[in-house]
Amino acid sequence: MFLLSNFFQALLILSDNKKVSKFILFIFILACSLLSIFPASSQKTSRIKRIGKRSWHCNEPSIAFNPLNQLQILIATNTNHLFCSKNGGRNFRHQKVQSSFGIYGDPVLKYGLNGECFFVHLSRNPEKNWPEWFDCIVVQKSTDHGISWNDGAAIGLNGKMHDKPWIHIDEEINSPYKGSIYISWTQFDKYNSSVPGDSSQILFSKSTDAGLHFSTPVRVNDLGGDCRDGDSTLEGATLGNMPDGTLFMVWAGYGRLYFDKSTDGGKTWGTDQVIASIADGWKLEVPGFMRCNGLPFVHVSPDFGIRVVTAHDINGRKQIMLYESHDLGKNWKTTRVSGLNETADHTMPHADWDKKSRTYRVLYYEIKNNQVQVILSSLNPGAQKFEHHIISRKPFEVPGESLFFGDYIQVSTHDDVTYMVWTEVEKNQSVVKAFKLK
């Protein structure tokens, strides 16, 4: 605005010269128009950084940064790559984490209240073949910012296949379950089975001793899904909790979004409730992608109640949708998040919210004409509409139907700092990119 003020003064000085004044007036109007399209921001951004070598074929990234030290960042990717930074992402040290239970993808990272970090992933039992080797969910712990990890706790060892885990930690000061670590995931009786008796279930387990041991898994869902890894399979279970410790879980299946709640720290759960019907289900058919999804993510806060972000088909286009309830799930308000390009497809959202700034952020892909861009949509407190920002430096080609691109991307925000990780295509290989917004 200081520059525009000076420019306007120059316009007045030169107003006697009609030719000059007309030209300056044109430039001034153009500048104002551009500012109306690209609003000024005090936020600083970093350069987009590729994580790892192209030959490593990294994808499906997860990111976490230490709330006690924002310079400490961890990124995990398929299938067992881990990247550690001590300087806010300028440099990363690479390692391959080991566990006696094996490691094979679906990585999720989360820092605890005391600066410890948890690494949740699928197993790879060396005595079994795919997909039977996914015989448990593994939670490993590091107390030195990823330099070393314990062997991990195995959850759900029962001879069945376990998939798509997620982690949540109760951080509420007045919650009776403060510090509890919660894990949610899908269990298959037999993966890809079409036998009517084989089903998928949503399971839950928790730790009250900082991740060393986990409780016997409990089933959350009332109605089981099939085992085909498609729209009638129950998947995408994520968790959030209120200040009093009340837990909410959401997942997708049978063309619906479900939620349930627990008031006793996850020991028991209520009756499943339907948030909304989702056309074409959570498994999205997008040209140029081997697989694409709109799995849900939930966040809970007294500020906004319950928020669930997902993607599904609306009038032939895949769109990012926000479902919001201010009365603990009795009624839901629906908002379309992806408003930057209404003729494009938008998929694979992930969301997070900043307790300091109270800003809610959604990261997702925008696809049009076989080109992909990464979009960040932010909803500030009190605002009625999302602000949209193109994050990727330039569009990239769709991965193609023979290149696995992963099922997740992630945004993590805390104390006005936001980190994002996603997958791109470079020379027919999947690579992970990272970006910082402050």
Side-chain angles (χ1 to χ4, degrees):
M1 292 306 296
F2 174 77
L3 291 176
L4 277 180
S5 175
N6 288 350
F7 192 82
F8 186 68
Q9 291 177 14
L11 175 63
L12 294 175
I13 294 171
L14 294 171
S15 61
D16 290 337
N17 186 322
K18 293 182 179 180
K19 290 183 179 180
V20 174
S21 63
K22 285 182 178 180
F23 174 75
I24 294 177
L25 181 61
F26 170 76
I27 298 298
F28 179 75
I29 294 172
L30 179 62
C32 290
S33 299
L34 289 174
L35 281 175
S36 68
I37 298 173
F38 304 106
S41 174
S42 61
Q43 292 178 316
K44 298 179 181 179
T45 60
S46 66
R47 296 177 62 184
I48 293 176
K49 187 177 185 65
R50 188 176 74 196
I51 305 300
K53 298 179 180 179
R54 188 181 297 117
S55 60
W56 293 348
H57 194 60
C58 296
N59 54 56
E60 204 163 274
S62 177
I63 190 168
F65 62 100
N66 191 346
L68 304 181
N69 182 353
Q70 293 184 354
L71 296 178
Q72 295 181 335
I73 308 168
L74 290 173
I75 296 175
T77 76
N78 281 342
T79 53
N80 66 337
H81 296 284
L82 192 81
F83 305 88
C84 305
S85 176
K86 296 181 179 180
N87 55 17
R90 290 195 298 272
N91 305 102
F92 283 89
R93 175 181 57 84
H94 172 255
Q95 65 172 303
K96 287 192 173 183
V97 182
Q98 303 295 324
S99 168
S100 63
F101 304 106
I103 299 177
Y104 204 81
D106 277 11
V108 188
L109 294 168
K110 179 72 175 177
Y111 270 97
L113 299 178
N114 299 313
E116 72 276 38
C117 191
F118 300 95
F119 177 29
V120 187
H121 54 81
L122 303 181
S123 63
R124 185 176 183 176
N125 188 330
E127 299 179 358
K128 296 181 179 180
N129 297 320
W130 185 93
E132 283 76 19
W133 69 36
F134 303 122
D135 62 0
C136 65
I137 299 299
V138 184
V139 182
Q140 294 185 254
K141 178 180 177 180
S142 174
T143 57
D144 54 13
H145 180 54
I147 295 175
S148 61
W149 297 84
N150 68 3
D151 191 51
I155 311 173
L157 276 168
N158 58 4
K160 298 184 178 182
M161 189 268 204
H162 302 265
D163 195 21
K164 286 186 171 55
W166 207 258
I167 183 173
H168 175 71
I169 299 176
D170 187 335
E171 301 174 348
E172 297 293 341
I173 296 175
N174 297 320
S175 169
Y177 312 108
K178 179 184 176 183
S180 294
I181 302 166
Y182 301 128
I183 307 293
S184 54
W185 73 99
T186 294
Q187 174 186 276
F188 291 82
D189 285 343
K190 188 175 182 180
Y191 184 77
N192 207 32
S193 170
S194 58
V195 176
D198 290 333
S199 64
S200 56
Q201 312 292 340
I202 298 298
L203 298 190
F204 168 88
S205 178
K206 72 175 183 179
S207 172
T208 57
D209 61 0
L212 296 180
H213 304 90
F214 283 82
S215 63
T216 301
V218 298
R219 172 177 165 172
V220 177
N221 60 288
D222 300 326
L223 176 66
D226 69 17
C227 286
R228 300 301 300 274
D229 199 10
D231 293 325
S232 295
T233 307
L234 307 185
E235 298 196 28
T238 59
L239 292 148
N241 69 272
M242 292 296 254
D244 65 357
T246 299
L247 269 172
F248 291 88
M249 183 188 292
V250 300
W251 66 91
Y254 288 116
R256 299 181 182 91
L257 283 179
Y258 292 96
F259 88 97
D260 203 340
K261 71 176 182 179
S262 171
T263 58
D264 57 9
K267 292 181 181 179
T268 60
W269 294 82
T271 301
D272 300 345
Q273 304 293 320
V274 175
I275 298 174
S277 295
I278 48 177
D280 292 344
W282 61 263
K283 189 173 183 180
L284 307 178
E285 299 297 330
V286 179
F289 282 77
M290 175 196 296
R291 53 194 278 175
C292 207
N293 72 71
L295 293 172
F297 292 90
V298 63
H299 292 86
V300 182
S301 165
D303 283 0
F304 51 71
I306 309 170
R307 281 179 176 168
V308 179
V309 68
T310 184
H312 57 84
D313 189 276
I314 298 178
N315 297 325
R317 294 290 182 187
K318 280 62 179 176
Q319 303 296 342
I320 311 300
M321 303 301 296
L322 175 66
Y323 295 90
E324 191 170 23
S325 175
H326 299 279
D327 54 11
L328 302 181
K330 294 179 182 178
N331 298 283
W332 294 88
K333 171 188 173 183
T334 307
T335 303
R336 183 170 175 267
V337 177
S338 48
L340 194 62
N341 188 334
E342 295 186 2
T343 64
D345 286 315
H346 301 92
T347 65
M348 292 175 64
H350 183 264
D352 199 8
W353 80 288
D354 190 333
K355 292 184 179 180
K356 179 179 180 180
S357 68
R358 298 166 58 210
T359 300
Y360 181 76
R361 301 190 188 276
V362 185
L363 187 72
Y364 53 93
Y365 291 125
E366 178 182 272
I367 306 117
K368 185 175 178 61
N369 297 328
N370 290 325
Q371 297 287 304
V372 187
Q373 294 198 108
V374 179
I375 308 297
L376 180 71
S377 294
S378 300
L379 185 64
N380 296 315
Q384 300 299 313
K385 295 182 179 181
F386 281 86
E387 293 181 359
H388 310 290
H389 306 274
I390 299 174
I391 300 300
S392 45
R393 185 171 60 87
K394 61 181 181 180
F396 56 92
E397 292 285 338
V398 294
E401 297 183 2
S402 62
L403 179 65
F404 181 64
F405 207 54
D407 290 323
Y408 301 109
I409 58 178
Q410 193 168 353
V411 55
S412 181
T413 182
H414 180 79
D415 283 351
D416 290 328
V417 178
T418 301
Y419 288 97
M420 293 158 272
V421 284
W422 64 91
T423 306
E424 290 191 10
V425 176
E426 284 187 2
K427 297 183 178 180
N428 299 319
Q429 297 289 331
S430 64
V431 296
V432 166
K433 299 290 184 72
F435 182 79
K436 177 183 177 181
L437 182 70
K438 183 176 181 181

